Amino acid sequence: MLEVRDLVTAYGTIEALKGVTLSAKQGEITCILGPNGAGKTTLMYSIACILKPVSGSVKVNDTEITGTSAPHALRCGIALVPENRLVFHSMSVEENLMAGAYTRLSSDRAGVQADIDNAYARFPSLKDRRAQIAGTLSGGEQQMLAVARAMMSRPKILMMDEPSLGLAPLIVAEIFSIIRQLNDEGVSIVLVEQNAHKALQIANRFYLLDQGRVTFSGTPGEIGEDDFIQRAYLGSKVA
Amino acid sequence: MSEYAISVASNMGMIAFVALSAYVILVVGEISFGQQAYFGIGAYMSGAATAMWGWPFGLALAVGSLSAAAAAFAIGALTIRLRGLYFAISTLCFAEMLRLWLNSVHVRVEVDGEMVGPDGAEGFGDIRWIFENDVTPLEFMFIIYGLLGAVLAFLLLVERSRLGAALRMVGQDPLLARSQGIDASACKLLAVMFAGLIAGLGGGLYAHFATYIEPNVFNVMLGVHGLAYGLIGGLGTALGPIIGVVLDIGFLEGIRAIQGYRMIVFGGLVAILLIVMPRGILDETRVYRIKRWMRRT
């Protein structure tokens, strides 16, 4: 589904990604773990064609999208919920949803309206607040809105950059159940998380990113066998 | 209307073009201290078109605004990657370069036995179109407001469109806008170019209104005022900058009691508003509430 090969992305002379290779399979939840500064967000931006990689390739269903534009990546079915910049603050909830369908806003009005209704069915609290300015929503609601907006582009792959950041545990649980639900409906998920425990509970496959390189990959079942990862990311089991 | 009132009203109309021009760039999230440059380009080009080449007025205005738009596009293409302060400084630099360069531009041609054309720091006089065509100040004021109305109507239409929504999204968060599939750079470039066009149109009007222009007219204070009008009036709608213009020139200039202290009052007003209403009187939220209220009633 999503194939990333030897991806190198640099800010000036600093290489944030030093050749990342990973793949996300159809219908799976792929999780990317790693400490701050590992290059997780850079990887997300590079896949979504917001940053231009120096070299390497990103393929979606065997179609090369490297070096194309963000609108093109979106058309190929990649939607990104960026970290920490969730909604357009001075726009209403409904306008935010419409922003997610920006590329087909004028060509497919009926479809957009149907998708808005779907989003409200999925997130009833957003429906109550449809006319509210998005900046006045709570953090959790903003995250819901961000997910709903990303779904408006009818993505095949939904990439989420730290959706649990700064949210209360109950809200985090809700977000994760929504991610699982979307996945059950057939959307492939690429999830960047610092909350390793939570992420590994729902992930089919995970990659460990450190200083711009993939240092480990496997299934969550394999992680217990690796002492180092256990200690570094999940804390010691034996206190 | 008295001659004084007509002249104040005309000045208001013409500076409103600079205000709208600065506003368009504010909408896409950048600050320009250099919109006076495009006002100047429009003034010089359309002034030259009527006075030196004998072109009709309408064509001269078109040439002035299109040259300003072309210059804005060229500068925009170079500076579009800059953000925030860096973009602001680059606009100021370009405007100052242009102003200083105009001080040394001497292009004089003979028209009807007299030399006309830009004469460096001496300025560019004898833009006599309104005298030659017997246009009264009142008529010229109507021309100004007709064109201003057209620009304003166009901006209000764009703001209701998909493009307008895209421009606002880019202004709020370029990265988030890009992840919705919006070409943020193209949006910015379009805004910069259109801002140049608006300023150039205003400049063309100004050259024919004043009949004499000199490089120092297009100094940074003109651009700063244009910018301040948007920040006072509000960034939520194109009507905002107009409110700013009316407040400053119409109101402050009108109150004779504060004559001489106008800039002090104006500066204070900007400072207070930036604290109390950071995005102006008609900011996005207020515009949204007003729209909702109007839909209900």
Side-chain angles (χ1 to χ4, degrees):
Chain A
M1 178 111 217
L2 176 69
E3 287 281 342
V4 177
R5 196 160 296 280
D6 296 325
L7 201 65
V8 177
T9 304
Y11 299 102
T13 55
I14 299 161
E15 286 186 351
L17 299 181
K18 298 166 181 161
V20 170
T21 300
L22 58 83
S23 67
K25 292 200 175 68
Q26 171 86 48
E28 284 194 354
I29 298 179
T30 308
C31 186
I32 296 162
L33 298 174
N36 290 335
K40 305 186 297 291
T41 299
T42 305
L43 177 62
M44 294 291 101
Y45 287 165
S46 304
I47 294 173
C49 295
I50 287 170
L51 285 177
K52 206 170 183 167
V54 178
S55 64
S57 95
V58 178
K59 281 183 187 171
V60 180
N61 289 331
D62 297 320
T63 315
E64 181 75 49
I65 63 162
T66 330
T68 60
S69 62
H72 183 259
L74 204 72
R75 276 196 295 277
C76 290
I78 294 182
L80 171 66
V81 180
E83 175 188 3
N84 226 348
R85 38 212 319 169
L86 302 169
V87 298
F88 293 108
H89 278 254
S90 69
M91 286 163 51
S92 71
V93 168
E94 187 142 325
E95 283 170 336
N96 263 279
L97 290 177
M98 284 161 89
Y102 175 76
T103 49
R104 59 192 172 93
L105 208 53
S106 44
S107 57
D108 181 23
R109 275 165 203 267
V112 172
Q113 193 52 52
D115 285 356
I116 288 180
D117 292 339
N118 282 341
Y120 286 150
R122 195 190 299 279
F123 303 102
S125 69
L126 292 184
K127 187 172 187 177
D128 301 336
R129 298 175 185 277
R130 62 201 296 171
Q132 195 171 327
I133 300 282
T136 61
L137 297 178
S138 73
E141 285 166 336
Q142 288 192 20
Q143 184 68 63
M144 305 283 172
L145 179 55
V147 175
R149 188 191 51 215
M151 291 306 294
M152 289 295 292
S153 67
R154 296 178 177 168
K156 295 186 197 107
I157 303 170
L158 178 64
M159 300 199 296
M160 304 184 73
D161 199 349
E162 300 210 17
S164 70
L165 193 74
L167 296 179
L170 271 178
I171 311 282
V172 173
E174 201 177 334
I175 299 274
F176 274 87
S177 83
I178 287 163
I179 294 172
R180 198 174 250 167
Q181 192 189 333
L182 290 173
N183 182 241
D184 287 342
E185 289 167 24
V187 183
S188 309
I189 309 271
V190 176
L191 181 67
V192 165
E193 260 300 341
Q194 299 252 16
N195 191 338
H197 274 294
K198 273 268 174 219
L200 291 175
Q201 279 169 21
I202 62 168
N204 298 102
R205 170 166 290 275
F206 77 99
Y207 290 86
L208 208 62
L209 205 62
D210 195 14
Q211 296 189 26
R213 287 194 176 87
V214 173
T215 52
F216 186 87
S217 73
T219 60
E222 289 166 344
I223 205 165
E225 298 155 24
D226 195 306
D227 242 350
F228 168 71
I229 296 163
Q230 180 72 43
R231 260 179 310 180
Y233 294 97
L234 299 173
S236 173
K237 264 182 183 166
V238 197
Chain B
M1 275 175 100
S2 73
E3 216 162 282
Y4 174 73
I6 292 174
S7 129
V8 169
S10 300
N11 273 315
M12 258 167 62
M14 288 182 297
I15 203 159
F17 282 92
V18 186
L20 284 176
S21 168
Y23 162 81
V24 168
I25 293 178
L26 285 169
V27 165
V28 291
E30 296 296 348
I31 290 182
S32 167
F33 288 108
Q35 292 315 103
Q36 69 275 16
Y38 305 112
F39 194 78
I41 292 173
Y44 269 84
M45 287 305 288
S46 52
T50 56
M52 294 163 72
W53 312 325
W55 291 6
F57 182 57
L59 189 62
L61 282 184
V63 165
S65 39
L66 288 176
S67 328
F73 179 81
I75 299 298
L78 289 173
T79 58
I80 206 74
R81 287 161 155 266
L82 303 174
R83 299 248 166 85
L85 259 183
Y86 300 95
F87 179 86
I89 294 284
S90 75
T91 57
L92 177 62
C93 288
F94 167 68
E96 285 296 276
M97 277 163 65
L98 181 87
R99 183 176 67 85
L100 295 170
W101 176 68
L102 282 174
N103 273 319
S104 60
V105 172
H106 302 269
V107 189
R108 310 280 284 167
V109 293
E110 202 179 311
V111 179
D112 300 332
E114 271 185 65
M115 299 299 284
V116 270
D119 194 10
E122 300 291 308
F124 177 5
D126 290 320
I127 304 170
R128 303 175 53 83
W129 180 83
I130 54 169
F131 304 127
E132 285 160 2
N133 292 278
D134 288 323
V135 180
T136 65
L138 188 65
E139 282 165 358
F140 199 78
M141 189 188 85
F142 284 126
I143 296 177
I144 293 172
Y145 277 92
L147 288 170
L148 181 65
V151 169
L152 196 58
F154 180 77
L155 281 179
L156 290 172
L157 267 178
V158 168
E159 279 178 358
R160 297 180 56 137
S161 71
R162 179 168 169 264
L163 175 66
L167 294 176
R168 289 222 174 262
M169 285 188 247
V170 170
Q172 277 188 42
D173 191 336
L175 214 142
L176 193 53
R178 284 169 77 184
S179 62
Q180 314 307 315
I182 294 166
D183 189 336
S185 303
C187 279
K188 274 192 183 172
L189 204 51
L190 188 71
V192 163
M193 198 172 72
F194 193 66
L197 186 93
I198 298 173
L201 185 58
L205 290 167
Y206 176 78
H208 292 88
F209 171 82
T211 73
Y212 167 82
I213 50 179
E214 59 176 17
N216 276 337
V217 171
F218 313 108
N219 67 17
V220 64
M221 282 318 288
L222 177 63
V224 168
H225 270 99
L227 196 59
Y229 294 146
L231 291 173
I232 292 175
L235 304 177
T237 158
L239 294 172
I242 307 293
I243 291 177
V245 175
V246 173
L247 263 183
D248 178 42
I249 305 183
F251 188 59
L252 293 185
E253 173 115 354
I255 302 173
R256 293 300 178 96
I258 55 168
Q259 207 81 67
Y261 298 97
R262 182 183 140 217
M263 286 325 292
I264 299 174
V265 175
F266 178 69
L269 190 67
V270 173
I272 290 170
L273 266 166
L274 284 182
I275 296 166
V276 186
M277 303 176 176
R279 287 182 74 78
I281 296 170
L282 286 179
D283 65 8
E284 287 88 346
T285 316
R286 250 167 243 123
V287 167
Y288 180 74
R289 292 207 180 112
I290 291 170
K291 272 188 200 157
R292 208 166 52 169
W293 178 78
M294 279 166 63
R295 236 176 285 145
R296 277 201 203 128
T297 49

